[in-house]
Each structure stands twice: as C-alpha cells, then as structure tokens.
Amino acid sequence: MKIASHLDKFRRLDATLRRLDPGNDQELWIWSAMNAGVHLLNAALHASGATTESDSFHSQVEGVYAVPDRKTGTLHDAMHAPGDVMHVGQPPLGAALPATLERASIALRTIEDLRERFVRGSERADASLQREWRNAYAACVRELLAFLDSSERER
C-alpha cells in the first residue's frame, strides 16, 4: 500500500479504538490496536526505505500480494519483495531499522502477543494488564508518528 493509504487506515482505526473499552471490548480493542499499529508501522517502514510502497495489499500468505486493477475493480495475485508487513517481523526484513522503529516494533509486538490468549483464546484480562496494553499502544503510536513527522520534515 501507499503511505497515505496506511495513514488513512490508521486514523480510522485509531478513532474507533478511542471509543472502545479495553475491558468490555477486549477482542475488538486488541484487534483494532494491532491493525492500527501495523498500518502506522508500514507507513514508517516505507518512509524509512526499509520497505517499498506499492499499489498492492499483503495477503495471509507471506510474499503473496493482491494487486488491484483500478479500471475493472478486480484483484489479481502477485509475488514480490516485501512491501507491507503483516505483523512485526513477518516477513522478516533484511535491514536494520532505525532505533525509533525498533522501539515502536517492541511496543507493537506487546499488542500482537495478546492475540492468542485474549482474541483467539477466551482469557479475560484484569485492569492492570489493560493499562499495559494502552501504554504499549500509546508508545508505539508516539514513536511512529514522531518518526514520520521527522521524515516529512527531511523531505
């Protein structure tokens, strides 16, 4: 995807996330935070040059992307080098990331690691763990927005 598209999706997901309660809406909160964070991470990865913007969308199969035909509205599959990551480290990137992106990735991984127990599983989290989630999401967003802001100023 393109940086602008990632940022649009991040803003919509982040606005939705702000209306959710991490306790009452546990699964949806985690899913939304994870997806908002990965869109923002992809925008930053593109801005850093670690990955390439493209007019394609990752699928659930590593290396396979859906490419839209803008005239017909259809999609076709294509294989190409990493454009967008699906999750932190998936697919692995061949280059070292700037420290800001590393810190943001660690925070985002905290959210992604909740998926098994609290989204796919049926565990319920207490208030202290929910605060940890919110803090990890806030740290991820803060780091990535700061990186994108500084990248934009350099252009």
Side-chain angles (χ1 to χ4, degrees), residues 90-122:
Q90 186 182 1
L93 302 175
L97 298 179
T100 304
L101 298 188
E102 283 293 338
R103 289 190 300 270
S105 294
I106 291 167
L108 181 54
R109 173 74 75 182
T110 299
I111 302 296
E112 291 181 339
D113 287 347
L114 301 170
R115 190 179 40 211
E116 291 300 320
R117 292 172 49 202
F118 300 104
V119 176
R120 292 179 179 154
S122 58

Side-chain angles (χ1 to χ4, degrees), residues 115-134:
R115 190 179 40 211
E116 291 300 320
R117 292 172 49 202
F118 300 104
V119 176
R120 292 179 179 154
S122 58
E123 287 186 48
R124 302 298 302 168
D126 64 21
S128 67
L129 191 52
Q130 293 165 26
R131 273 191 301 280
E132 185 180 321
W133 301 350
R134 286 192 300 262

Side-chain angles (χ1 to χ4, degrees), residues 51-105:
T51 58
T52 306
E53 289 184 274
S54 66
D55 192 19
S56 64
F57 311 91
H58 70 74
S59 70
Q60 293 301 311
V61 177
E62 200 168 299
V64 177
Y65 291 81
V67 180
D69 180 326
R70 298 293 180 192
K71 291 180 183 175
T72 65
T74 60
L75 297 170
H76 69 275
D77 289 344
M79 295 190 74
H80 59 73
D84 294 341
V85 297
M86 292 182 278
H87 299 288
V88 173
Q90 186 182 1
L93 302 175
L97 298 179
T100 304
L101 298 188
E102 283 293 338
R103 289 190 300 270
S105 294

